[in-house]
Amino acid sequence: MNIESLNALAGHFGIHHSYNDFDGNLIHTSVETQLALLRANGLQLDNDAMIAEALEAYVAAENDRWYPRELITGMGFGYECNFGLGARWSIELDERVSEEEKLSLSSGALSGVADTHISLPPLPAGIHDLICEVGDRIETVTIICAPLQAPSIESFGGKRRIWGLNTALYGMRSARNSGLGDYEDLANLAEFTHELGGSFVGINPVHALGFAEPHAISPYSPSHRGFFNTQHIATDRIPGLTNTPQARSIMQAVAVQWAELRNSEQVEYIQHRTCHNAALRDYYTLFLQHAELTAQQQFQKFVEQRGAYLQRFALFEALAEQFGQDWRDWPIELQNKEPDAIERESDRLEARIRFHAWLQWVANSQLEYAQDRAKADGAGMGLYLDLAVGARHGGAESWCESESVAHGVSLGAPPDQLGPDGQNWGLMTYAPRKLAANKYKSLRHIYRAAMRHAGILRIDHVLGLNRSFWIPEDGSPGAYVSKPLDTLLAILSIESNTTKTAIIGEDLGLVPDGFREKVQARGIYGYSVLQYEKWPDGNFKHPNDLRQFSLACFSTHDTPTLKGYLTGRDIKWRDKLSKIEGRISHEAFEHRERDVSALARLSDHTDGAEGFDHLFDVVHGTLAASQVAMISVQLDDVLAQEEAQNLPGTIDDHPNWRRKCPLTVDELRSDPAFEVISKTMDDAGRNLKQLADNASPES
């Protein structure tokens, strides 16, 4: 095989020829991997002749262009293009641009004839088309016009430093939910957090998992990230039905089952889904017959506003009920979305499609209400939501957005501190060239949906904006593929400014040089997990040495809790699940003891104290006194929980995504631990403000 031609072709698709692993070793991308990743981009390459032909075609296509394919500009600024001699040009504005913004542009600003170059007028934020004509030649340049930065937390409430609670929504308990935490529980926790002085409440992703999917439980393996998980719908808060006797009858009919589910030690997903889905069907029937007129009108408006995007997802959900949750097992004409088959099924399943659209309206309405209550009339940031890195194969997103998807590969990561053996996440990814051809519509929908009801959005594995690790399904080793970082950052800026959402990028793992600086320049906060923040000599960084423009925390859903870290619970789990009988990680326990001692020494005021309470005070006290912009306190750590929510690399061996909070939302209010964390954060905040005031020139 002509390796030189293969390497050149792979380069056109951003496939890296090599990468350095976590230990600095150079790993070369194999021929098999390059071929698999090129096939994922839609190329069929069976021999040297096909490789040479494909390479020649792509080189010729690039050489034939007179103008760039994309151009990134700043919102509100004119732009002098270095091209366009003699071209007639016109701009077609993004369909999301409002009529008011269009009227603000002067007459004739969107077209002209270039002299030496094209002078673009100040444009509104969006993705626009610049159409250039010279004789019979017409080329289109995609203009990505974005605000310079995503919003900062200061731009919302004026605070330089905020804190909040993070928890797992599915595990929240209350006296009224259906055995799984719901959006009403979230709103109540958010109000409690605000009473404590916190500015946000953060949760796991709440993307759609699939209405009829019985086994999907991981919030990081959703069916579609552009829609919400209907299992979190609070059935006693359905818009338009809250005061009807018929609704109360439905609640009474499931009261015994839901009491059992509430009392279960762990989340019982299958039983919950069966009972909850049946109740939702009954509520929908009731909604059609007895809902208040205002609610029916709001639902209809929602359907009209979300248009084809919602219709396509609702069709998937209806088809999944008929043919199964994995579209790769559907009839071939539905797999390929053949127009005649889609039209036929859309007509046949019209009622079910409407039902699934209604579910999304209810979920959106309840999340919107939760965000309104969480923001406390603008005094807080509100909800801190999480965007998963991808969606599972065979789910709604990979079918709805198939034109932009890289097929035959999964997202993952090479070995690093989070996964010493490497990770295959089993998630789909987008092919950069396909995304660009579709004007990034798939990602824009997902970003906007994730931000719509969030004051803060955390992007899981933000490194994927720069490059992602693709693992071929044919068994070949994985390799990195470059992403258009500048373009994706600009699109994030567009969407976050539209929804008024601050962005956090989870930037753990193998971080390329200069990546964090470039991301921060776009206004995206970093993510500092104290467990992993160490100097090269192995000592922990003091929170004062953490990146100020970041969110800092001790633990996450993927790490040991603070108490689990202290007791080595994660190490015990690894030993328990090891294939080596009787394995005891003496060295790992000794290393952990040294780390715990080092953590305890972060504070100068130790007084010889030991144990969990002391470690909790040291960790959160030093974090509170640091200059980091945001501090996240895990609810599990406040409640001294030992077990983690997730043990990476396991599925059923460890009870991932099943743990419940030991207290109900109402019981949290009487737990003295919350007064302690509130006082810790409040005292530190006052001290920081006083220091800042004393250091100001006016002082």
Side-chain angles (χ1 to χ4, degrees):
M1 181 165 286
N2 189 328
I3 303 300
E4 184 177 347
S5 294
L6 180 61
N7 286 340
L9 183 60
H12 278 284
F13 286 85
I15 300 168
H16 292 210
H17 300 151
S18 62
Y19 68 92
N20 291 102
D21 67 12
F22 196 69
D23 295 320
N25 302 311
L26 187 66
I27 308 297
H28 293 281
T29 303
S30 69
V31 169
E32 294 76 17
T33 296
Q34 290 190 73
L35 288 171
L37 300 191
L38 286 167
R39 284 193 291 271
N41 279 280
L43 277 68
Q44 293 301 318
L45 306 169
D46 297 328
N47 51 54
D48 279 352
M50 296 177 75
I51 293 172
E53 182 180 351
L55 178 60
E56 182 180 355
Y58 280 98
V59 170
E62 292 303 311
N63 290 340
D64 185 54
R65 282 192 68 89
W66 287 8
Y67 308 126
R69 295 186 183 276
E70 285 185 1
L71 192 63
I72 300 174
T73 67
M75 185 190 76
F77 298 96
Y79 188 88
E80 301 296 323
C81 303
N82 61 357
F83 57 83
L85 177 62
R88 295 189 307 277
W89 60 272
S90 62
I91 297 174
E92 291 186 1
L93 293 174
D94 190 324
E95 61 184 13
R96 294 180 178 178
V97 173
S98 68
E99 290 301 319
E100 182 180 355
E101 289 174 311
K102 291 177 183 177
L103 291 172
S104 68
L105 294 166
S106 61
S107 177
L110 299 180
S111 63
V113 178
D115 184 6
T116 57
H117 59 274
I118 297 173
S119 297
L120 299 178
L123 294 171
I127 298 183
H128 318 294
D129 283 337
L130 171 61
I131 302 167
C132 305
E133 299 182 48
V134 181
D136 294 332
R137 173 186 286 268
I138 300 177
E139 288 190 12
T140 299
V141 180
T142 300
I143 303 176
I144 301 168
C145 184
L148 297 180
Q149 291 188 322
S152 68
I153 58 172
E154 291 176 81
S155 67
F156 297 121
K159 295 182 180 179
R160 293 178 57 250
R161 207 287 305 271
I162 60 175
W163 73 277
L165 294 174
N166 271 65
T167 191
L169 179 57
Y170 55 82
M172 290 181 64
R173 292 181 187 265
S174 68
R176 41 149 298 282
N177 73 26
S178 55
L180 187 81
D182 61 31
Y183 297 127
E184 177 66 14
D185 294 331
L186 175 60
N188 289 329
L189 179 64
E191 289 180 331
F192 174 50
T193 302
H194 177 67
E195 292 168 15
L196 294 172
S199 293
F200 62 83
V201 58
I203 55 172
N204 49 275
V206 285
H207 309 311
L209 293 180
F211 179 78
E213 168 56 66
H215 303 296
I217 65 172
S218 170
Y220 291 93
S221 185
S223 176
H224 200 309
R225 295 173 295 163
F227 297 91
F228 292 116
N229 187 349
T230 58
Q231 295 301 303
H232 294 304
I233 287 175
T235 54
D236 57 345
R237 299 292 190 276
I238 303 292
L241 293 178
T242 52
N243 296 317
T244 63
Q246 296 92 333
R248 289 194 291 272
S249 296
I250 295 175
M251 291 294 293
Q252 291 169 358
V254 295
V256 173
Q257 290 172 290
W258 283 358
E260 292 176 356
L261 290 170
R262 282 196 294 269
N263 293 331
S264 64
E265 197 65 27
Q266 297 180 349
V267 177
E268 301 292 346
Y269 283 99
I270 294 178
Q271 295 92 320
H272 174 270
R273 185 174 273 109
T274 300
C275 186
H276 193 260
N277 284 0
L280 288 174
R281 293 187 188 100
D282 290 341
Y283 276 113
Y284 178 60
T285 300
L286 186 61
F287 181 88
L288 295 177
Q289 298 170 351
H290 298 287
E292 298 165 0
L293 179 59
T294 301
Q296 294 188 23
Q297 291 171 337
Q298 290 171 343
F299 170 45
Q300 182 58 33
K301 183 179 179 180
F302 175 84
V303 171
E304 292 169 357
Q305 288 177 336
R306 304 300 168 87
Y309 189 65
L310 173 63
Q311 185 75 8
R312 189 164 58 244
F313 170 77
L315 172 61
F316 176 92
E317 290 284 83
L319 290 170
E321 290 182 299
Q322 298 282 312
F323 300 107
Q325 290 299 302
D326 192 327
W327 62 264
R328 295 170 296 182
D329 298 327
W330 292 358
I332 192 65
E333 65 271 16
L334 294 177
Q335 292 184 37
N336 297 333
K337 293 192 287 188
E338 295 178 10
D340 289 345
I342 294 299
E343 183 177 359
R344 181 181 66 248
E345 294 298 326
S346 295
D347 291 341
R348 184 174 71 86
L349 299 172
E350 182 179 1
R352 295 305 296 168
I353 292 170
R354 186 81 172 171
F355 168 65
H356 289 292
W358 176 81
L359 289 176
Q360 287 303 311
W361 170 69
V362 174
N364 271 270
S365 299
Q366 292 189 356
L367 260 177
E368 182 179 17
Y369 183 52
Q371 170 65 343
D372 288 343
R373 290 164 63 185
K375 289 180 70 174
D377 296 326
M381 296 293 292
L383 302 182
Y384 159 177
L385 301 184
D386 205 348
L387 177 65
V389 68
R392 67 176 182 267
H393 292 295
E397 190 175 331
S398 65
W399 184 79
C400 293
E401 311 300 326
S402 59
E403 292 80 6
S404 299
V405 170
H407 297 286
V409 295
S410 292
L411 280 174
D416 60 18
Q417 78 265 42
L418 289 176
D421 298 322
Q423 301 175 66
N424 185 332
W425 300 326
L427 303 174
M428 53 142 280
T429 186
Y430 290 111
R433 280 180 172 267
K434 293 181 179 181
L435 266 180
N438 289 323
K439 301 293 194 314
Y440 304 96
K441 288 182 179 179
S442 300
L443 273 183
R444 290 189 73 189
H445 278 300
I446 287 164
Y447 288 159
R448 184 163 294 195
M451 297 176 194
R452 185 173 279 116
H453 308 304
I456 302 171
L457 178 71
R458 172 188 177 273
I459 299 178
D460 192 35
H461 193 65
V462 76
L463 299 173
L465 300 182
N466 179 63
R467 63 179 188 179
S468 54
F469 197 73
W470 292 12
I471 303 173
E473 293 177 353
D474 65 3
S476 303
Y480 278 109
V481 177
S482 290
K483 297 290 185 66
L485 176 61
D486 291 333
T487 296
L488 299 180
L489 289 176
I491 293 172
L492 274 174
S493 183
I494 293 171
E495 301 302 337
S496 61
N497 277 279
T498 299
T499 57
K500 308 248 183 300
T501 306
I503 306 296
I504 297 168
E506 185 268 288
D507 51 3
L508 306 179
L510 295 168
V511 183
D513 292 340
F515 173 81
R516 283 174 170 156
E517 292 75 11
K518 177 171 279 194
V519 170
Q520 180 176 326
R522 271 293 188 179
I524 295 177
Y525 292 86
Y527 192 67
S528 300
V529 180
L530 193 55
Q531 292 184 43
Y532 299 130
E533 292 285 353
K534 294 184 177 182
W535 298 111
D537 64 3
N539 287 318
F540 284 101
K541 293 181 180 179
H542 191 279
N544 285 336
D545 297 316
L546 300 181
R547 290 171 287 158
Q548 292 185 21
F549 200 75
S550 71
L551 176 139
C553 58
F554 175 79
S555 57
T556 77
H557 58 273
D558 276 339
T559 72
T561 63
L562 183 59
K563 187 170 185 178
Y565 193 84
L566 174 66
T567 63
R569 185 60 179 156
D570 57 314
I571 302 172
K572 295 173 184 176
W573 266 108
R574 295 294 180 189
D575 284 348
K576 178 180 178 181
L577 301 179
S578 172
K579 295 179 181 178
I580 303 174
E581 187 174 348
R583 184 180 94 168
I584 301 177
S585 302
H586 292 293
E587 186 176 342
F589 278 110
E590 291 172 0
H591 185 78
R592 179 62 57 79
E593 288 178 3
R594 291 194 296 270
D595 278 349
V596 168
S597 297
L599 276 175
R601 292 194 300 271
L602 287 176
S603 172
D604 296 330
H605 308 289
T606 58
D607 299 327
E610 295 181 350
F612 172 78
D613 290 341
H614 172 66
L615 195 63
F616 181 91
D617 291 343
V618 168
V619 166
H620 293 95
T622 53
L623 281 172
S626 71
Q627 295 289 335
V628 293
M630 291 180 265
I631 299 169
S632 167
V633 181
Q634 296 291 328
L635 192 69
D636 281 344
D637 289 340
V638 180
L639 297 175
Q641 296 297 287
E642 186 176 26
E643 296 289 356
Q645 292 293 333
N646 179 50
L647 186 66
T650 66
I651 299 176
D652 294 320
D653 299 323
H654 179 273
N656 294 339
W657 320 119
R658 295 175 173 87
R659 280 195 49 247
K660 287 187 176 183
C661 181
L663 303 177
T664 67
V665 179
D666 289 336
E667 289 170 342
L668 296 178
R669 294 177 178 275
S670 59
D671 191 302
F674 291 96
E675 294 181 17
V676 173
I677 194 65
S678 176
K679 185 176 187 305
T680 298
M681 294 295 165
D682 188 46
D683 290 348
R686 278 200 302 271
N687 291 338
L688 287 172
K689 186 178 185 305
Q690 184 175 356
L691 289 172
D693 291 343
N694 292 339
S696 67
E698 296 178 0
S699 300

